[in-house]
Amino acid sequence: MEQVRVYAPATVANVACGFDIFGFAVDRPGDEVVLTKKDTPGIIISEITGDEGRLPLEVHKNTAGIAIQKYLEHIGRTDQGFTMALHKDMPLGSGLGSSAASAVAGVFAANELMGKPLSQKELLPFAMEGERVACGSAHADNVGPSLLGGFVIIRSYNPLDIIEIKVPEDLFATIVHPQVEVNTKDARSILEREIPLSKTIEQMGNVAGLTAGLLLSDYELISRSLEDVIIEPIRSILIPQFKEVKSAAMAAGALGCSISGSGPSLFALSRGLETAEKVAVAMTGAFKDAEIESEAYVSGINQRGPVVS
Amino acid sequence: MEQVRVYAPATVANVACGFDIFGFAVDRPGDEVVLTKKDTPGIIISEITGDEGRLPLEVHKNTAGIAIQKYLEHIGRTDQGFTMALHKDMPLGSGLGSSAASAVAGVFAANELMGKPLSQKELLPFAMEGERVACGSAHADNVGPSLLGGFVIIRSYNPLDIIEIKVPEDLFATIVHPQVEVNTKDARSILEREIPLSKTIEQMGNVAGLTAGLLLSDYELISRSLEDVIIEPIRSILIPQFKEVKSAAMAAGALGCSISGSGPSLFALSRGLETAEKVAVAMTGAFKDAEIESEAYVSGINQRGPVVS
């Protein structure tokens, strides 16, 4: 194989109570990488579309470029060169794991072209290196679900321990991206560094509840557990109309609604596609009430991760 | 029915990472209440055995007495009087939920004699009131599993939301009670009131991992998740020989080992009865190395809660 086209899914990290430890993948939006072998060593980024000219073409500044570079070093094949075209099919800085999806698509494509010497899960550290460039730290709550699909728990970062769990079949996600921007680094810097023990306990209860709710297909328990008492009260300040949009989602029947990643996108989970679509209408409507344009995506929980397209 | 004899099980609260939110019941030790109807209103505690004379006979100072009193008020039957005998079949102040077991046995016995107007789960608030007397606050991580059996998650205290989850069949608990004493109020007062966000995240990862490990019968995941980075490092200081005993448990094959409740008892979880028994020998041996006598109990996870005996 000389060329491969790979689509990697967007992801919702944090998932209310699960700051840095929960994430899930959706079917759309996502990022596409077209990777082509070339005869000489080195990676060249030939084009990036859909980024409004904002992403660097230099390999060492690009999440996918770095991920591929680290991968080649690991398998001892820096002699193999690639030309990469990157098509962003989702907004940058939206809280939907845009940089993670690019890194995952890139490293997955490279592994395909090299004859799959590594398993899908073994690609994770290289995609995380890409994330380090974008966010300043190597988080796994976007690259994990984008690479593996489904809902993941990052039990531990050191050593890395990622658990994939099944979700109820009738669980659907609504993601709404408003036309405002939040920088991930800013969104992290405003967080409190010390958490009251009482809030830690409350959050742990919801983390346990959400994990059990998903594994037991208990929608009521999922709904009760989709509460974030630590991060959301602070980060939601950066998102105009947050309260109104969340209220609209809940009134339309969502099981829960919170910030996707570090925002400004919001996600909601619902039982059934029909409800998830009603929730999308309600959420975009609530943004529109404040004259904020937004785009909505409705999908099941993506169980596949990246696909050759 | 004029008289009933009820045995309620001891419990392990906290369970490593799950401070205030996890607890499970064991088969032994436990507390026994013999409750007898009497013709006049009011509760009389006729005798308490096994407490070395340390527990008060006054109803309003006794966890079981208070639990029964609150229960009678709730069902509007304060006209019914009882005589209660309480047999402590476990050490006081051991971290095994001694006060909780008494409260549960008492209120369960009263409900039996009144013709079961309330369900087992509905008895929880009254048993918690008993706990308030003993601990100064109404925790549910001992009364919950003692009353309901099995492994419980307390997702929320306000409103109270308790989830019972199934555990793998081959999971066994070892509990070792050393002859030293820790006051629950002291053990709580030495805790930090503010937790670094990084430690909160680490703990949440283990909470999610333990919940998933139990539900998926993944013993390896249970083992990796039985880590407490918040409470154990502080409370273990109060328990002589803690590190040595924990190391002995792990070397003998335990999945994990930590403090039971607020100590000084330690618990370990193991796969298989045989390993749990080896772990008991190793733990008591490690206490003995420091000339500390200890008593060990090995049992499966109690799935029944209180029983009429």
Side-chain angles (χ1 to χ4, degrees):
Chain A
M1 194 168 14
E2 292 299 308
Q3 187 183 73
V4 69
R5 181 183 292 266
V6 171
Y7 189 86
T11 43
V12 171
N14 297 344
V15 196
C17 50
F19 183 64
D20 278 0
I21 68 157
F22 287 154
F24 66 82
V26 291
D27 290 334
R28 281 192 57 237
D31 276 358
E32 188 183 66
V33 158
V34 182
L35 200 66
T36 312
K37 279 187 180 174
K38 66 180 176 71
D39 295 336
T40 50
I43 302 164
I44 293 170
I45 301 178
S46 59
E47 66 165 344
I48 302 179
T49 61
D51 67 330
E52 296 167 0
R54 288 166 53 196
L55 289 179
L57 289 171
E58 292 103 317
V59 170
H60 69 281
K61 290 183 184 170
N62 180 283
T63 60
I66 290 167
I68 295 172
Q69 183 65 43
K70 295 282 175 187
Y71 166 78
L72 290 174
E73 287 167 12
H74 177 83
I75 64 166
R77 286 299 307 276
T78 48
D79 60 301
Q80 178 62 57
F82 292 112
T83 303
M84 176 170 70
L86 178 57
H87 305 295
K88 305 293 296 182
D89 189 26
M90 70 168 122
L92 270 67
S94 57
L96 299 175
S98 165
S99 60
S102 294
V104 165
V107 77
F108 187 89
N111 197 48
E112 288 286 314
L113 290 184
M114 299 308 289
K116 296 194 189 177
L118 298 189
S119 73
Q120 201 154 327
K121 198 163 186 174
E122 286 171 337
L123 300 176
L124 195 64
F126 315 110
M128 285 177 73
E129 278 303 309
E131 274 286 78
R132 191 192 300 275
V133 179
C135 306
S137 55
H139 286 278
D141 48 355
N142 287 116
V143 289
S146 184
L147 179 64
L148 305 171
F151 190 102
V152 306
I153 299 166
I154 298 118
R155 188 199 63 81
S156 160
Y157 277 89
N158 187 20
L160 190 62
D161 187 6
I162 296 201
I163 302 134
E164 302 157 59
I165 62 172
K166 280 196 182 169
V167 297
E169 280 186 13
D170 214 20
L171 194 67
F172 284 82
T174 305
I175 293 173
V176 176
H177 172 239
Q179 300 300 319
V180 295
E181 212 162 291
V182 172
N183 184 296
T184 305
K185 287 178 188 170
D186 288 352
R188 196 162 272 267
S189 69
I190 62 166
L191 298 179
E192 304 282 350
R193 281 163 205 284
E194 300 274 319
I195 313 297
L197 180 58
S198 60
K199 283 206 189 298
T200 296
I201 294 165
E202 224 178 315
Q203 197 90 342
M204 293 194 316
N206 286 321
V207 162
L210 183 54
T211 306
L214 291 170
L215 284 168
L216 299 169
S217 290
D218 183 337
Y219 292 93
E220 284 300 312
L221 177 54
I222 292 169
S223 181
R224 297 197 302 277
S225 304
L226 282 169
E227 292 286 340
D228 174 6
V229 298
I230 294 178
I231 308 296
E232 183 185 299
I234 297 172
R235 281 195 172 159
S236 61
I237 296 165
L238 298 177
I239 304 170
Q241 202 71 356
F242 175 82
K243 273 188 194 167
E244 292 78 2
V245 175
K246 178 170 177 166
S247 296
M250 299 310 290
L255 298 170
C257 172
S258 188
I259 302 167
S260 178
S262 52
S265 293
L266 269 66
F267 80 94
L269 288 173
S270 299
R271 182 172 192 168
L273 179 59
E274 201 182 333
T275 303
E277 283 170 345
K278 276 185 198 161
V279 168
V281 171
M283 291 172 77
T284 50
F287 271 124
K288 195 148 200 156
D289 288 345
E291 295 181 358
I292 298 168
E293 290 302 314
S294 64
E295 191 166 9
Y297 307 87
V298 175
S299 93
I301 309 301
N302 175 319
Q303 299 291 349
R304 298 171 304 172
V307 285
V308 175
S309 59
Chain B
M1 195 169 12
E2 292 300 308
Q3 186 183 73
V4 70
R5 180 184 295 264
V6 170
Y7 189 85
T11 43
V12 171
N14 298 343
V15 196
C17 51
F19 184 63
D20 277 1
I21 69 158
F22 288 153
F24 66 83
V26 291
D27 289 335
R28 281 192 57 237
D31 275 358
E32 188 183 67
V33 157
V34 181
L35 201 66
T36 312
K37 280 186 179 174
K38 66 181 177 70
D39 294 337
T40 50
I43 302 163
I44 292 169
I45 301 177
S46 59
E47 65 164 346
I48 301 179
T49 62
D51 69 330
E52 296 167 359
R54 288 165 53 195
L55 290 179
L57 290 171
E58 292 103 315
V59 169
H60 70 279
K61 291 183 184 172
N62 180 283
T63 61
I66 290 167
I68 296 171
Q69 183 66 42
K70 294 284 175 185
Y71 165 79
L72 290 174
E73 286 167 12
H74 176 84
I75 64 166
R77 287 298 307 277
T78 48
D79 60 301
Q80 177 64 57
F82 292 112
T83 302
M84 174 170 71
L86 177 58
H87 305 295
K88 305 293 294 182
D89 188 26
M90 69 168 122
L92 269 67
S94 57
L96 299 175
S98 165
S99 60
S102 293
V104 165
V107 75
F108 187 90
N111 196 48
E112 289 286 313
L113 290 183
M114 299 308 288
K116 295 195 191 176
L118 298 189
S119 73
Q120 202 153 325
K121 198 162 186 173
E122 285 170 338
L123 300 177
L124 195 64
F126 316 109
M128 284 176 73
E129 278 303 310
E131 274 287 79
R132 191 191 301 276
V133 179
C135 305
S137 54
H139 287 277
D141 47 356
N142 287 116
V143 288
S146 183
L147 180 64
L148 304 171
F151 191 102
V152 305
I153 299 166
I154 297 117
R155 189 199 62 81
S156 159
Y157 277 89
N158 187 21
L160 190 62
D161 186 6
I162 295 200
I163 302 134
E164 302 157 59
I165 62 171
K166 279 197 183 169
V167 297
E169 279 186 14
D170 214 22
L171 194 67
F172 285 81
T174 305
I175 294 174
V176 175
H177 172 240
Q179 301 299 319
V180 296
E181 212 162 291
V182 172
N183 184 295
T184 305
K185 286 178 188 170
D186 288 350
R188 194 162 273 268
S189 68
I190 62 165
L191 298 178
E192 304 282 350
R193 282 162 205 284
E194 301 274 319
I195 313 297
L197 179 58
S198 60
K199 282 206 189 301
T200 296
I201 294 166
E202 222 178 317
Q203 197 89 343
M204 293 195 314
N206 286 321
V207 163
L210 184 54
T211 307
L214 291 169
L215 284 168
L216 298 170
S217 291
D218 183 336
Y219 292 93
E220 284 300 311
L221 178 54
I222 291 169
S223 180
R224 298 197 301 277
S225 304
L226 281 170
E227 292 288 340
D228 173 6
V229 298
I230 295 178
I231 308 297
E232 183 185 299
I234 298 172
R235 280 193 173 161
S236 61
I237 297 165
L238 298 176
I239 304 170
Q241 203 71 356
F242 175 82
K243 274 188 193 167
E244 291 79 1
V245 176
K246 179 171 177 165
S247 297
M250 299 310 290
L255 299 170
C257 172
S258 187
I259 303 166
S260 178
S262 53
S265 293
L266 270 66
F267 80 94
L269 289 173
S270 300
R271 181 172 192 167
L273 178 60
E274 201 182 330
T275 304
E277 283 170 345
K278 277 184 198 162
V279 167
V281 172
M283 291 172 76
T284 51
F287 271 123
K288 195 148 201 156
D289 288 344
E291 295 182 358
I292 298 168
E293 290 301 314
S294 63
E295 191 165 10
Y297 307 88
V298 175
S299 94
I301 309 301
N302 175 318
Q303 299 290 350
R304 299 170 305 173
V307 285
V308 175
S309 57

